[in-house]
């Protein structure tokens, strides 16, 4: 490990400036720190988000690109059409504009060497920021540091504003740290991954817990297929035994982060009860009402009701309930077919170069990818450009496409395809 000096830190900040700014803009308003500065207005961060991304996109275009991903462009045109024909054109187009900027920067819409470099930096900074949020949340709680409770809801929220946000964040940190641990064979990352895994469960988000478990399973499976059985056994077995000891032998009221009968039993109480059924039904009804193009980005059938409630301003759906149904509801069958085509084309390209991709990136693509697709079933973040999970999905899609281009072209520009 390189020794950290002031000059090395300064060089890192200079080389990762956009990634760090993006992390700050998206994370700060949803943490305790954003809550403490609320008197001066965290809304400024929301106002700065998309102008900063727009500048990054313009700089990316200025540096030049060789190819456009026409499938992603087609999806954006369909999403634009859905918003253009929505009930509230101005509101929906504004939401579309934010989403389009995110997709333009995070996905491989513009295929170029500079684009791959930029997305690599953004991906690494986003993943490490998830690790920082997860670890800092554990540290904050263990040290009993003062922290305002922003939303009163059962489940551990860490330093974030909501337990349902902290759950998936800790889940991504778990999968990312496990990927790094298996690739670099360092016990410290295994331990950090296990701590994040426990923290994820204490959020009481069933979708995040299930997605994290399957993401971990995907990483281990990829490792076993690559014949890293000894590494998996050497590092995973001690972690499993430690977790089993904590859960089995330490009194429930002494478990860290409330990981005992009190909170964990609530997951059992929830069981398989579907708390999102009403949201799912609403989204499906919206799809049936407008099956071709949907209601438009950010829109829903609650338009008139919400507009009347908020004195003439439409605030959109509060909790869509499922990203899959959001795609159908807001962009219809055309948007769904187009988006599925984009995802499948990016994933299927990897079959040709999978064994040539660095092991850690294989772990991340498989683990984080499966996590996102499972979690998307219960949370509607895919068209919410102001949310962290939306960023994670589109940058995951971007680094997935970049993995193929990186093997074929290395540091050269894309010349065909």
């Amino acid at each position: 490990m390189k020794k950290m000096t002031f000059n090395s830190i300064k060089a890192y900040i200079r080389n990762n400036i956009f990634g760090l700014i993006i992390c700050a803009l998206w994370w700060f308003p949803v943490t305790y720190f954003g809550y403490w500065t609320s008197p001066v207005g965290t809304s400024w961060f929301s106002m700065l988000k998309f102008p900063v991304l727009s500048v990054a996109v313009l700089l990316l275009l200025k540096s030049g690109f060789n190819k456009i991903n026409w499938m992603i462009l087609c999806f954006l045109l369909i999403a634009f059409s859905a918003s253009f024909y929505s009930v509230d054109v101005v509101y929906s187009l504004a939401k579309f504009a934010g989403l389009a900027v995110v997709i333009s920067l995070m996905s491989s819409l513009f295929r170029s060497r500079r684009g791959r470099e930029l997305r690599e930096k953004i991906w690494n900074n986003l993943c490490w920021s998830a690790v920082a949020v997860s670890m800092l949340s554990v540290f904050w709680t263990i040290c009993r540091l003062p922290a305002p409770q922003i939303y009163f809801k059962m489940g551990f929220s860490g330093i974030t504003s909501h337990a349902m946000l902290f759950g998936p964040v800790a889940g991504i940190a778990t999968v990312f740290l496990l990927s790094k641990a298996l690739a670099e064979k360092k016990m410290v990352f295994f331990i950090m991954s296990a701590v994040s895994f426990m923290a994820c469960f204490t959020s009481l988000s069933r979708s995040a817990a299930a997605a994290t478990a399957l993401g971990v399973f995907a990483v281990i499976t990829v490792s076993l297929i690559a014949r890293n059985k000894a590494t998996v056994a050497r590092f995973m077995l001690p972690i499993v035994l430690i977790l089993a000891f904590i859960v089995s032998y330490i009194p429930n009221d002494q478990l860290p982060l409330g990981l005992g009968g009190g909170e964990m039993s609530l997951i059992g109480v929830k069981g398989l009860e579907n708390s999102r059924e009403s949201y799912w039904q609403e989204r499906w009804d919206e799809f049936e009402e407008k099956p071709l193009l949907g209601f438009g980005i950010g829109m829903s059938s609650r338009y008139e009701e919400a507009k009347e409630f908020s004195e003439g301003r439409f605030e959109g759906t509060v909790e869509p309930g499922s990203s899959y149904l959001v795609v159908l509801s807001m962009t219809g069958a055309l948007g769904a077919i187009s988006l599925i085509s984009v995802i499948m084309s990016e994933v299927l390209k990897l079959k040709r170069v999978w064994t040539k991709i660095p092991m850690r990136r294989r772990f991340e693509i498989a683990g984080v990818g499966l996590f996102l697709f499972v979690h998307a079933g219960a949370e509607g973040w895919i068209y919410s450009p102001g949310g962290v999970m939306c960023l994670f999905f589109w940058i995951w899609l971007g680094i997935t496409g970049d993995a193929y281009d990186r093997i074929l072209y290395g540091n050269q520009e894309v010349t065909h395809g």
Side-chain angles (χ1 to χ4, degrees):
M1 182 180 293
K2 294 182 179 179
K3 185 177 180 180
M4 188 175 294
T5 63
F6 175 76
N7 288 333
S8 65
I9 294 174
K10 187 169 67 172
Y12 180 85
I13 293 174
R14 184 174 61 251
N15 293 329
N16 293 268
I17 186 65
F18 273 113
L20 293 171
I21 291 175
I22 289 170
C23 287
L25 290 175
W26 263 261
W27 286 110
F28 191 80
V30 296
T31 62
Y32 292 150
F33 312 111
Y35 180 87
W36 280 328
T37 61
S38 58
V40 298
T42 56
S43 59
W44 284 99
F45 284 86
S46 297
M47 294 173 63
L48 287 172
K49 283 179 180 178
F50 301 109
V52 168
L53 283 191
S54 299
V55 170
V57 172
L58 290 175
L59 290 176
L60 179 62
L61 294 176
K62 185 179 179 181
S63 66
F65 62 94
N66 292 70
K67 294 290 180 181
I68 290 180
N69 189 317
W70 292 105
M71 299 188 78
I72 297 178
L73 182 61
C74 179
F75 165 75
L76 286 173
L77 290 175
I78 291 173
F80 171 80
S81 300
S83 294
F84 187 77
Y85 289 103
S86 67
V87 178
D88 191 329
V89 178
V90 174
Y91 176 86
S92 190
L93 284 179
K95 298 290 276 188
F96 165 78
L99 181 65
V101 171
V102 168
I103 293 175
S104 298
L105 184 65
M106 303 293 177
S107 75
S108 56
L109 173 61
F110 302 110
R111 298 172 63 190
S112 67
R113 178 181 59 82
R114 175 59 181 155
R116 295 196 298 273
E117 292 174 353
L118 185 58
R119 284 186 288 272
E120 183 73 18
K121 293 175 181 178
I122 294 174
W123 169 258
N124 285 325
N125 280 284
L126 270 177
C127 288
W128 277 117
S129 64
V131 172
V133 169
S134 181
M135 293 294 105
L136 189 56
S137 295
V138 175
F139 173 80
W140 211 271
T141 303
I142 291 175
C143 295
R144 300 184 182 277
L145 295 174
Q149 187 171 357
I150 303 175
Y151 292 106
F152 292 92
K153 187 177 179 71
M154 62 182 180
F156 178 63
S157 60
I159 64 169
T160 70
S161 59
H162 203 289
M164 296 301 105
L165 170 62
F166 178 74
V169 168
I172 287 180
T174 300
V175 176
F176 176 74
L177 287 166
L178 181 60
S179 301
K180 189 170 178 63
L182 286 172
E184 299 186 12
K185 300 178 175 60
K186 292 183 178 179
M187 178 59 76
V188 62
F189 294 127
F190 278 97
I191 295 173
M192 291 171 67
S193 179
V195 171
S196 290
F197 201 5
M198 293 172 65
C200 172
F201 270 87
T202 60
S203 73
L204 302 185
S205 170
R206 290 168 296 173
S207 57
T212 304
L214 289 172
V216 168
F217 174 78
V219 172
I220 293 175
T221 299
V222 171
S223 183
L224 292 176
I225 292 174
R227 299 181 180 179
N228 287 340
K229 297 179 182 178
T231 301
V232 173
R234 177 185 171 190
F235 290 102
M236 291 300 294
L237 184 58
I239 298 299
V240 171
L241 292 176
I242 291 171
L243 292 178
F245 171 79
I246 291 174
V247 174
S248 301
Y249 293 100
I250 297 180
N252 286 336
D253 60 353
Q254 295 180 22
L255 282 171
L257 306 180
L259 191 64
E263 287 191 347
M264 289 303 288
S265 62
L266 290 174
I267 290 183
V269 171
K270 286 183 175 181
L272 297 177
E273 177 188 351
N274 187 359
S275 59
R276 291 174 173 79
E277 186 174 358
S278 61
Y279 300 117
W280 292 358
Q281 189 60 51
E282 283 183 6
R283 302 292 84 74
W284 184 256
D285 290 343
E286 288 165 356
F287 169 62
E288 289 186 327
E289 185 176 342
K290 295 188 174 182
L292 197 61
L293 282 174
F295 276 72
I297 302 297
M299 297 295 294
S300 80
S301 58
R302 291 186 177 184
Y303 173 77
E304 293 296 340
E305 174 189 343
K307 188 174 181 180
E308 182 179 348
F309 178 78
S310 57
E311 299 178 353
R313 297 187 313 276
F314 178 58
E315 302 295 339
T317 52
V318 177
E319 188 174 347
S322 169
S323 288
Y324 299 115
L325 291 174
V326 160
V327 172
L328 289 172
S329 167
M330 294 185 183
T331 53
L334 290 180
I337 293 170
S338 179
L339 183 57
I340 291 171
S341 299
V342 168
I343 296 170
M344 292 302 295
S345 67
E346 296 293 85
V347 172
L348 290 176
K349 283 193 303 185
L350 294 183
K351 289 180 64 178
R352 310 179 206 169
V353 297
W354 183 251
T355 57
K356 298 178 182 179
I357 297 173
M359 189 61 69
R360 178 181 163 189
R361 184 48 47 89
R362 278 188 260 175
F363 293 152
E364 292 170 355
I365 290 174
V368 176
L370 186 56
F371 173 93
L372 290 169
F373 284 107
V374 173
H375 191 256
E379 299 291 346
W381 36 253
I382 194 166
Y383 288 167
S384 302
V388 172
M389 295 306 297
C390 180
L391 291 191
F392 268 112
F393 172 75
W394 290 105
I395 193 65
W396 173 85
L397 192 66
I399 62 115
T400 298
D402 289 342
Y404 174 79
D405 284 348
R406 198 176 294 276
I407 294 300
L408 263 64
Y409 308 110
N411 292 326
Q412 305 301 314
E413 294 290 358
V414 178
T415 56
H416 65 276

